[in-house]
Amino acid sequence: MPEKSISKAPNSWVKGVYQDRDKPAQIRFSNISAAKAVADAIRTSLGPKGMDKMVQPAGIHPTIISESFQKALEKGVEVLNGIAQPVELSDRESLLNSATTALSSKVVSQYASLLAPMSVDAVMNVIDPATATSVNLRDIKIVRKLGGTIDDCELVNGLVLTQRVVNTGVSRVEKAKIGLIQFCLSAPKTDMESQIVVSDYAQMDRVLREERAYILNLVKQIKKAGCNVLLIQKSILRDALSDLALHFLNKMKIMVIKDIEREDIEFICKTLGIKPVAHVDQFTPDMLGTAELAEEIRLNGSGKLIKITGCANPGKTVSIVVRGSNKLVMEEAERSIHDALCVIRCLVKKRALIAGGGAPEIELALRLTDYSRTLSGMEAYCVRAFADALEVIPSTLAENAGLNPISTVTELRNRHAQGEKTAGINVRKGGISNILEELVVQPLLVSLSALTLATETVRSILKIDDVVNAR
C-alpha cells in the first residue's frame, strides 16, 4: 500500500513540532492582555500598576523589549535613589508622616492621629534602632475584640489574651508567677479504646479516689513551684482541664486561663520570658515567668480581656488591641494598622523617604524620556514606552481624586520640567503643590519595589512563548 504523503504547510514543521509560527506571539499577547486586565482591576488602589501599557504590538522582538526594560529599570532605580532623602529612625516626625500617608486612603483615616503613633511605637519597641535591618511583624500581635470604637484601640507592652479566666474567683493577681503547661489536668486515658466495668460501689469509690489523688498531686506540684497564674494549652486528646482540677486550683488561689492556641505559644513565651512545660515533673520555678500584674479587665462596650503587664524578663514584643463597633470596621482597622506597620518596616529596611502624590513617577517619566534620547533604534522606543507607562500612576491618582487626569498630569509634567522635583497631586486641595510641604511622603523602598517587581513581571511574561497543559 503506498504511503500517505505529508503535506508541508507554511506554518508547520515535519512531525508537527511547531504547528503555528504565530503561536509564541499569540501566547505573549494573551498573557499581556491578562496582565492588563489585572492591572485595570486593581487600578483604583494605585498598586504597582504602571506597567500595564508598556508593551505595544509594534513588531519588536521580545528579547529587545526585555533588555530595554532592564536598562530602563536600572536607570529608574538610579533616579529614585537620587531624589530620595535619608531618614533616621530617631526622626519620629518623619516616621509619623509616612504612617499617616499610608492611613490617609483608608476608611479609618480620621483615626490616623491615634493609629499612626501606635504603629510607630509598636515597631520601635520590638527592634534595636541602631542595628535593625528588618522587622519581624510576628513580634507585634494584633488582638481583635469586638465592641467599643476605634478610639478604644490601644498598644500594650505585655501580653493580651482574649480567653476568659476560668475560675472567676481569681481575676487579678499581683506579683504574678506565670506557668504555661502543655499537659492535661484530667484523668489519664488508656492508649487504646477500652471499656471498664465497675461491679460494685467499693470499686467505684476506689476509681474516684485514685483519680482525685492523681489530679491533686498534679495541682500540688504546680503550687509547689510557686505558680499563681496558669496558662493551659488547648488539647485535642482529652479535656485539658477537668472540673476536679479546677476545683483544686481555685482552692489554691491560682488564676487559670485555658484554651491557649498552639500557634500563640511562641509569642507568649517570648513576651513573658517563660518556657512551655510538657510534663509535670519539669514544672519547676525556673520555668516560670514573673510579671507585676495579671488581671481580667472589662472593656468599654462589651467583653473582657486578660492583660499581663510589667514582665520581669520581657522579650521585644508588643500587643495591639483593635476594637470596632462591628466586624467590618474592626477588620478594616486591623488591615490599616498592618499597612502602617509595613510602611515603618520599609523605612527600617531602607532608611530613605521620597515624596508621594505621583511626584516620583512623573520625575521618573521625564528622566527616562531624556535617557531614551541618548539611545538609538528600538531600545530608545522601548525605554520611551516604559517612561510613558509611568504616567498612569499620577493619572489614576488624579482620576480617583475627581480631577481632570489629562490637564493635571500635563501641569505636573511642566512643573517637574521646571525643576520642581517634589511637585505632586494634592488630593485634599484638588491641585498641584509641593507635596513634601504637605507631609505626603512614602518610603523609597515602596517605589523601588513597585518598579522592580513590575518590570520583572513584564519580562517574565515576554519569556513565555507556549503553554503546556499539566496532566
Side-chain angles (χ1 to χ4, degrees), residues 143-345:
V143 178
R144 292 189 295 178
K145 190 70 179 173
L146 194 62
T149 66
I150 295 173
D151 281 322
D152 297 319
C153 292
E154 63 172 326
L155 180 71
V156 178
N157 281 314
L159 183 67
V160 176
L161 298 170
T162 53
Q163 288 86 349
R164 301 289 294 269
V165 171
V166 188
N167 48 345
T168 49
V170 189
S171 59
R172 178 187 169 92
V173 175
E174 293 182 9
K175 305 292 181 196
K177 294 276 189 183
I178 307 150
L180 170 60
I181 62 170
Q182 295 177 311
F183 56 88
C184 298
L185 294 179
S186 57
K189 283 174 71 175
T190 53
D191 290 336
M192 55 187 179
E193 284 294 321
S194 59
Q195 237 180 354
I196 299 171
V197 178
V198 180
S199 56
D200 60 34
Y201 286 117
Q203 286 180 326
M204 189 182 293
D205 283 346
R206 185 181 169 194
V207 168
L208 292 174
R209 268 200 316 277
E210 289 288 333
E211 183 181 327
R212 183 183 175 88
Y214 172 81
I215 290 173
L216 183 58
N217 180 50
L218 290 178
V219 175
K220 277 182 174 177
Q221 282 185 257
I222 290 169
K223 181 69 176 175
K224 186 181 174 186
C227 175
N228 56 15
V229 176
L230 186 65
L231 310 180
I232 306 173
Q233 182 178 317
K234 186 185 283 188
S235 172
I236 57 168
L237 299 174
R238 62 183 198 265
D239 285 342
L241 177 70
S242 67
D243 290 342
L244 190 57
L246 183 60
H247 168 74
F248 289 139
L249 290 164
N250 222 358
K251 288 255 183 190
M252 296 179 184
K253 295 283 185 282
I254 297 173
M255 181 193 280
V256 181
I257 303 148
K258 68 172 186 173
D259 292 339
I260 302 295
E261 298 289 347
R262 182 183 293 273
E263 57 265 26
D264 293 336
I265 297 291
E266 186 183 347
F267 182 84
I268 291 171
C269 291
K270 188 172 183 180
T271 304
L272 302 177
I274 62 176
K275 295 174 186 172
V277 182
H279 193 275
V280 70
D281 293 344
Q282 296 158 354
F283 200 92
T284 52
D286 60 307
M287 302 293 270
L288 304 181
T290 308
E292 289 292 322
L293 180 65
E295 66 174 332
E296 186 177 51
I297 56 168
R298 186 173 291 279
L299 297 167
N300 292 337
S302 62
K304 293 178 179 179
L305 275 181
I306 298 162
K307 279 188 190 176
I308 300 175
T309 51
C311 304
N313 300 305
K316 281 187 169 288
T317 64
V318 293
S319 301
I320 296 176
V321 181
V322 176
R323 308 297 309 284
S325 54
N326 61 58
K327 194 180 175 194
L328 288 173
V329 171
M330 185 174 66
E331 287 176 352
E332 179 61 28
E334 181 187 5
R335 282 192 294 272
S336 301
I337 290 169
H338 183 266
D339 285 357
L341 293 172
C342 288
V343 165
I344 307 303
R345 180 175 62 178

Side-chain angles (χ1 to χ4, degrees), residues 360-375:
E361 287 80 16
I362 281 288
E363 185 66 21
L364 269 177
L366 278 174
R367 300 282 288 276
L368 288 175
T369 301
D370 291 343
Y371 174 59
S372 70
R373 296 193 186 108
T374 67
L375 303 171

Side-chain angles (χ1 to χ4, degrees), residues 438-459:
E438 302 290 333
L439 304 179
V440 177
V441 288
Q442 64 190 40
L444 170 61
L445 192 61
V446 170
S447 290
L448 285 179
S449 299
L451 197 66
T452 306
L453 294 174
T455 308
E456 283 175 7
T457 303
V458 173
R459 294 189 74 201

Side-chain angles (χ1 to χ4, degrees), residues 36 39 48-55 386 389-390 450-451 454-455 458:
K36 290 168 86 168
K49 144 90 175 108
M51 306 301 156
D52 76 318
K53 63 171 189 175
M54 282 184 173
V55 186
F386 190 110
L390 289 164
L451 197 66
T455 308
V458 173

